[in-house]
Amino acid sequence: AGEAIITPADKKHPPTIPVTGAAVTIGVELGCAATPQSLQINGNLSNAVEGSVTPSIQGTGTVSGNGSGGSTGGQGGGSGSLSITPGLSATAADTVTTGGSLTGDIGPGTTRDFPIATKPLSGRDGYVVARETRVSVDGCLGGAQIRSYATAVISTPLGENSITTYGRTLFIDRDHPGAPPKLKPAK
């Protein structure tokens, strides 16, 4: 909110130069700690898949023989067994590799002025009030800050005169926004 009242400094001797115009303006200043001038992001991603298959064969065998004989000849016998077991084993591996870099130049921060409302004075006094006004800042590295202001301007045939008052600076950090300011209820 901003208020302007035109009163003579010495009421016994009013000014001889007439006031031709006056106004009160309210707004905010948004400041940024640093701004990116040029940024370049480079990166790579690779994926390697490896695999192998190994066949195998195992075998076991037994042979047995028996016989009996005499002067007229003999008799013989035998037996054999064979066992074969086939096998197959496999392994697989997957390797993902990433890399990257961020390069660029960072410039000094900037401050921008955002007037919200202006009220020309048609009499001796006037005021401006703004509630729930939204402002935003883009491309800011680090924290930002905001400060409200009110400016009163008076014009005469000889020149212009202005005065500006500023509110408390509020620091806004993306990761630690802090508690909102405590407001006093209106009377």
Side-chain angles (χ1 to χ4, degrees), residues 14-70:
T16 57
I17 300 171
V19 173
T20 57
V24 60
T25 300
I26 59 171
V28 294
E29 290 180 338
L30 279 175
C32 188
T35 55
Q37 300 297 310
S38 66
L39 289 179
Q40 184 175 5
I41 300 172
N42 298 314
N44 57 43
L45 173 68
S46 66
N47 187 12
V49 178
E50 299 175 12
S52 65
V53 176
T54 305
S56 64
I57 297 178
Q58 287 184 333
T60 58
T62 58
V63 176
S64 64
N66 58 19
S68 61

Side-chain angles (χ1 to χ4, degrees), residues 4-25:
I5 301 171
I6 302 170
T7 59
D10 183 359
K11 292 184 181 183
K12 293 182 182 179
H13 300 92
T16 57
I17 300 171
V19 173
T20 57
V24 60
T25 300

Side-chain angles (χ1 to χ4, degrees), residues 76-153:
S79 66
S81 68
L82 178 63
S83 170
I84 298 175
T85 307
L88 189 62
S89 65
T91 59
D94 187 12
T95 305
V96 177
T97 306
T98 61
S101 64
L102 174 66
T103 58
D105 296 323
I106 296 174
T110 59
T111 301
R112 293 188 57 202
D113 179 30
F114 293 95
I116 295 172
T118 299
K119 172 69 176 163
L121 277 64
S122 57
R124 285 186 349 101
D125 56 356
Y127 68 91
V128 178
V129 176
R131 290 184 176 87
E132 300 178 25
T133 301
R134 181 184 182 281
V135 292
S136 65
V137 59
D138 294 323
C140 186
L141 298 176
Q145 60 188 8
I146 186 169
R147 178 172 65 170
S148 61
Y149 68 87
T151 300
V153 178

